[in-house]
Amino acid sequence: MSNLTLVRRRNALALFQEFAGSAITEGVAPKGLEQSFAARAQISPSMWSQIKSSRPIGDKLARQLEHHGGKPAGWLDEDHGEPAPPDTAEERFVTLARAAWQASNARQKRELSRLLKQAAGSELE
């Protein structure tokens, strides 16, 4: 398997993680995110499943994923490196935030999202 194939797959997965994180922050339930991502990328859920496991991403499909993922042409071909691992304080916060989210009703989840967006500033708007 070529390096480009691995880089494209890793970056496609990063696009999905970005999409899923944004959707969950907006209060969308995690169930069905794979299908929603495939629809946004204008590919079938089956093709997305194949891409995640073994299907190579050709040039045309790479540009399509970039376009629908809001990335510049060629982004999928670049090695963006591994993200830095979270520190223990960040891990504790994420665990606490997840517990708060899971214990909340819909109104409380919207308020949690609003507070986190406010704390993050325009970065997530």
Side-chain angles (χ1 to χ4, degrees):
M1 189 174 299
S2 77
N3 188 40
L4 181 60
T5 300
L6 294 174
V7 167
R8 283 180 174 175
R9 180 171 299 122
R10 187 174 345 154
N11 288 338
L13 291 170
L15 279 177
F16 172 72
Q17 288 176 337
E18 187 177 296
F19 171 83
S22 177
I24 290 171
T25 300
E26 294 295 322
V28 175
K31 187 175 182 175
L33 285 178
E34 300 266 346
Q35 292 83 359
S36 296
F37 177 76
R40 177 177 160 194
Q42 296 184 352
I43 59 175
S44 70
S46 174
M47 179 177 277
W48 173 237
S49 180
Q50 292 170 30
I51 289 169
K52 290 186 309 178
S53 61
S54 62
R55 182 185 179 118
I57 301 171
D59 292 339
K60 183 178 178 183
L61 180 55
R63 302 300 80 88
Q64 180 177 336
L65 291 171
E66 291 162 348
H67 174 73
H68 294 294
K71 301 296 183 189
W75 184 88
L76 224 63
D77 301 346
E78 300 169 6
D79 188 353
H80 302 285
E82 296 294 322
D87 62 23
T88 49
E90 184 179 350
E91 286 293 333
R92 283 193 308 269
F93 172 78
V94 169
T95 300
L96 179 62
R98 184 175 294 117
W101 182 266
Q102 292 170 346
S104 297
N105 62 31
R107 183 190 57 75
Q108 292 165 326
K109 287 178 180 178
R110 284 191 301 273
E111 181 63 12
L112 280 170
S113 291
R114 187 192 66 74
L115 289 170
L116 287 171
K117 285 179 187 177
Q118 181 181 5
S122 63
E123 190 175 308
L124 294 177
E125 292 301 320

